[in-house]
Amino acid sequence: MPNKIDDRISVAPQIRPEDVPALAASGFVHIINNRPEGEEFGQPTGMEIAEAAEAAGLGYTEIPVTPGGFSMAQVEAMAEALGSVDGPVLAYCRSGTRSCNLWALAAAHKGGDPAELIAKGAGAGYDLSGIRPALEQLAGR
């Protein structure tokens, strides 16, 4: 189910608490929830995922992103979360797209090359070309 961007990060559509043990068994050490509460009827709450993560020995961070866009605070929080984890991270939202975009923005903010970030996103099945101007601005190019 996860779409691997690189050895440090994968993104996925909404996960369920019962998915977490398998994620832990496959090597993930941290989950980042980029989905706002109540976005869709029947989605698990962040607390349910957090409890499942804790039970499986995984770290958990919430950085909810609405479909309307990204704030600098969210970009910085994602960069901080990714920088504080030693091991593979799974970030999820409704489809995985916001998580991939936020990862790329955070990576550009830390100096990542926009062309490389776009290529990594494409390799995982996500088109990041629409945020290229933001990636270039964050990367200082």
Side-chain angles (χ1 to χ4, degrees):
M1 174 169 74
N3 298 307
K4 185 175 181 176
I5 295 172
D6 63 24
D7 290 340
R8 295 267 305 129
I9 178 105
S10 295
V11 298
Q14 175 71 57
I15 62 170
R16 306 200 67 73
E18 56 268 22
D19 299 329
V20 174
L23 293 170
S26 67
F28 290 101
V29 300
H30 199 89
I31 294 172
I32 299 175
N33 174 1
N34 295 132
R35 192 150 194 213
E37 293 293 332
E39 184 177 43
E40 185 174 80
F41 178 76
Q43 84 185 52
T45 66
M47 181 61 72
E48 290 171 318
I49 302 295
E51 289 171 353
E54 183 178 347
L58 302 182
Y60 176 84
T61 302
E62 280 188 26
I63 309 169
V65 177
T66 61
F70 304 92
S71 70
M72 196 60 201
Q74 291 165 325
V75 171
E76 290 171 349
M78 187 72 159
E80 182 180 322
L82 292 170
S84 68
V85 174
D86 186 25
V89 173
L90 175 76
Y92 76 91
C93 58
R94 187 185 60 76
S95 68
T97 300
R98 279 175 277 175
S99 293
C100 187
N101 287 349
L102 189 55
W103 157 78
L105 293 166
H109 179 58
K110 291 293 190 182
D113 176 47
E116 288 179 18
L117 299 173
I118 289 169
K120 283 184 175 185
Y126 298 93
D127 180 4
L128 300 177
S129 61
I131 63 168
R132 185 178 197 118
L135 295 174
E136 290 176 353
Q137 183 179 17
L138 286 166
R141 303 197 177 175

